[in-house]
């Protein structure tokens, strides 16, 4: 369709390139848009700045979740499923595009989109950046200009119709999700589905860490959340022990013990991981700490130390035989 439609928004023009299907979707806070987009300069060449198809993934945004380029919610809200439309947006709507594009590009490159970003509002961060790391985006920062967005809307989902990503949840939703995820993880452990259980525990930890990031470390709110994190991390580590991911256990237990150096269960799991990768001295030290911190675990520690000793003796015998075989074969050459 060649006719240009003016949305009821200052500084926006819309042209439908391919008609969609049905009525306009019914939207609410939390509705998720999935779409492809192209961003072009409003110049003679219509220079392409970004293309989600080239990045290899469609874009998703959640309505009402403070997406930095607010005009995109307005544009998508005017579209039907399957519609392709071109939007011309004046400079008043495109000032944040360089920052948004930077984040999207970093995600596509497998990098942290917030790396180096100070904890400030979006406009404040724009002034903090001397460079986005991309020459074309630096130009947009220096000289804000109208942009053209070509969008193809694939689907719109109600909040109840899809699994909410952690970042899209409110504080209350995250707190409500944690005990559910914890319970699901425990149920999966009983069924010995350790990989699936670990994923549940990890998701719960992410919810809590996101909330902790908004609290001052070691103050009441932070400590309350930390008390919920600790057992989840320990459960996650137990799953990783069962899966043979011993270095994963060493990493997470060591991080936990840097904050809570009196946690006997963390020492116990770290000791088992050390033993599994033949770190005998470290394993013995951690097992001894367990017995000192929690005498009720002394029997379990004694059993583990006995097993460790037997495994190390067996390993020494096997190593000695292997070295003798190598020595004899080298003499025969």
């Amino acid at each position: 369709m060649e006719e240009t439609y003016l949305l009821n928004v200052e500084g926006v023009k819309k042209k439908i390139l391919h008609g969609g299907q049905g009525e306009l979707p019914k939207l609410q806070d939390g509705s998720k848009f999935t779409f492809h987009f192209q961003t072009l300069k409003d110049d003679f060449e219509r220079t392409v700045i970004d293309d989600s198809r080239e990045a290899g993934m469609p874009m998703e945004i959640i309505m009402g979740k403070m997406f930095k380029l607010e005009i995109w919610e307005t544009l998508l809200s005017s579209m039907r499923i399957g519609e392709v439309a071109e939007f011309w947006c004046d400079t008043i709507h495109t000032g944040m595009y360089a920052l948004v594009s930077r984040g999207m590009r970093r995600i596509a490159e497998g990098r942290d989109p917030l790396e180096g970003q100070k904890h400030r509002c979006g406009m404040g961060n724009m002034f903090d950046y001397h460079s986005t790391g991309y020459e074309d985006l630096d130009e947009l920062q220096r000289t804000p200009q109208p942009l053209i967005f070509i969008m193809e809307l694939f689907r719109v989902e109600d909040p109840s119709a899809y699994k909410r990503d952690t970042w899209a949840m409110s504080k209350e939703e995250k707190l409500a999700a944690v005990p559910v995820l914890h319970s699901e993880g425990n149920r999966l452990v009983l069924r010995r589905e350790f990989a699936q259980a670990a994923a549940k525990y990890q998701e719960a930890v992410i919810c809590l860490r996101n909330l902790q990031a908004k609290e001052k470390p070691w103050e009441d709110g932070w400590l309350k959340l930390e008390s919920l994190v600790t057992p989840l991390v320990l459960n996650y580590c137990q799953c990783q022990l069962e899966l043979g991911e011993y270095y994963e256990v060493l990493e997470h237990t060591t991080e936990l013990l840097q904050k809570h150096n009196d946690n006997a269960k963390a020492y116990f799991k770290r000791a088992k991981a050390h033993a599994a990768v033949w770190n005998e001295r470290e394993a013995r030290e951690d097992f001894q700490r367990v017995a000192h911190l929690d005498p009720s675990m002394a029997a379990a520690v004694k059993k583990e130390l006995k097993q460790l000793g037997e495994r190390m003796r067996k390993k020494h015998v096997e190593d000695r035989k292997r070295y003798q075989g190598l020595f004899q074969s080298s003499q025969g050459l």
Side-chain angles (χ1 to χ4, degrees):
M1 298 182 185
E2 293 299 328
E3 186 179 354
T4 296
Y5 296 85
L6 297 178
L7 293 178
N8 190 26
V9 180
E10 182 184 356
V12 175
K13 299 177 184 178
K14 175 182 178 180
K15 181 190 293 183
I16 297 176
L17 305 180
H18 177 77
Q21 304 166 1
E23 301 296 323
L24 288 173
K26 295 180 180 179
L27 303 173
Q28 57 182 302
D29 277 1
S31 293
K32 180 166 74 172
F33 298 101
T34 303
F35 59 101
H36 268 307
F37 74 94
Q38 267 191 328
T39 304
L40 302 89
K41 288 186 177 180
D42 184 22
D43 57 14
F44 181 77
E45 295 83 6
R46 288 169 62 93
T47 306
V48 176
I49 300 171
D50 289 306
D51 187 333
S52 62
R53 284 188 172 81
E54 287 189 3
M57 65 180 76
M59 182 71 179
E60 295 179 348
I61 65 172
I62 309 295
M63 189 169 185
K65 289 300 178 181
M66 303 293 287
F67 185 63
K68 289 185 176 68
L69 204 63
E70 294 179 14
I71 193 61
W72 275 17
E73 283 190 18
T74 302
L75 307 184
L76 291 163
S77 298
S78 76
M79 299 178 68
R80 292 172 169 79
I81 305 301
E83 180 178 321
V84 181
E86 177 178 308
F87 300 91
W88 178 91
C89 294
D90 204 352
T91 308
I92 58 172
H93 300 298
T94 62
M96 295 296 294
Y97 185 77
L99 180 60
V100 171
S101 177
R102 176 185 187 271
M104 292 188 296
R105 291 184 188 186
R106 293 178 72 88
I107 290 171
E109 293 165 2
R111 300 161 67 191
D112 181 358
L114 299 180
E115 183 180 320
Q117 183 169 319
K118 297 181 180 180
H119 187 67
R120 294 176 58 184
C121 68
M123 189 57 71
N125 277 311
M126 286 291 285
F127 291 115
D128 284 330
Y129 292 129
H130 297 292
S131 172
T132 63
Y134 304 93
E135 289 185 11
D136 57 338
L137 299 184
D138 288 344
E139 179 192 347
L140 288 181
Q141 277 199 162
R142 288 191 297 268
T143 56
Q145 56 195 270
L147 294 173
I148 297 168
F149 302 112
I150 299 176
M151 295 178 161
E152 180 178 1
L153 181 60
F154 296 132
R155 59 181 173 271
V156 177
E157 298 169 272
D158 290 337
S160 60
Y162 65 92
K163 184 177 181 295
R164 302 291 294 279
D165 292 325
T166 299
W167 65 266
M169 293 181 181
S170 66
K171 177 180 179 180
E172 292 72 21
E173 288 170 333
K174 288 174 184 173
L175 287 172
V178 168
V180 175
L181 291 165
H182 198 159
S183 177
E184 289 176 352
N186 293 346
R187 178 177 56 81
L188 289 164
V189 166
L190 292 175
R191 292 164 52 179
R192 301 191 64 78
E193 296 179 14
F194 298 113
Q196 296 88 333
K200 296 295 183 182
Y201 295 136
Q202 185 179 44
E203 189 175 350
V205 170
I206 290 171
C207 285
L208 293 169
R209 292 297 191 208
N210 286 345
L211 293 174
Q212 267 191 317
K214 297 177 175 62
E215 302 286 345
K216 290 186 178 179
W218 303 105
E219 293 195 356
D220 289 345
W222 189 94
L223 289 169
K224 185 177 180 180
L225 293 167
E226 185 69 12
S227 69
L228 299 174
V229 168
T230 300
L232 287 163
V233 172
L234 291 173
N235 287 359
Y236 174 82
C237 288
Q238 183 60 42
C239 291
Q240 297 303 322
L241 282 173
E242 298 286 353
L243 293 167
E245 299 291 345
Y246 304 118
Y247 290 102
E248 181 92 353
V249 177
L250 292 175
E251 177 185 347
H252 288 286
T253 51
T254 298
E255 182 181 350
L256 187 62
L257 288 165
Q258 288 171 350
K259 299 176 185 175
H260 312 286
N261 63 4
D262 60 347
N263 192 302
K265 290 182 179 179
Y267 279 117
F268 189 78
K269 295 184 193 305
R270 191 172 74 170
K272 286 177 71 70
H274 275 309
V277 296
W278 309 106
N279 296 337
E280 182 180 13
R281 179 179 60 81
E282 292 87 348
R284 290 187 180 279
E285 289 177 356
D286 278 353
F287 279 132
Q288 289 166 3
R289 288 192 186 98
V290 173
H292 175 73
L293 289 167
D294 189 351
S296 69
M297 298 182 70
V301 167
K302 184 177 180 181
K303 180 181 177 182
E304 292 289 341
L305 286 171
K306 181 180 177 181
Q307 290 177 350
L308 175 61
E310 291 172 353
R311 288 181 69 242
M312 295 306 302
R313 281 191 293 274
K314 184 177 179 181
K315 182 177 185 295
H316 292 324
V317 170
E318 291 174 351
D319 288 347
R320 193 159 51 245
K321 288 180 179 178
R322 187 180 303 111
Y323 295 144
Q324 287 174 349
L326 290 171
F327 178 72
Q328 290 170 356
S329 64
S330 66
Q331 284 187 324
L333 294 175

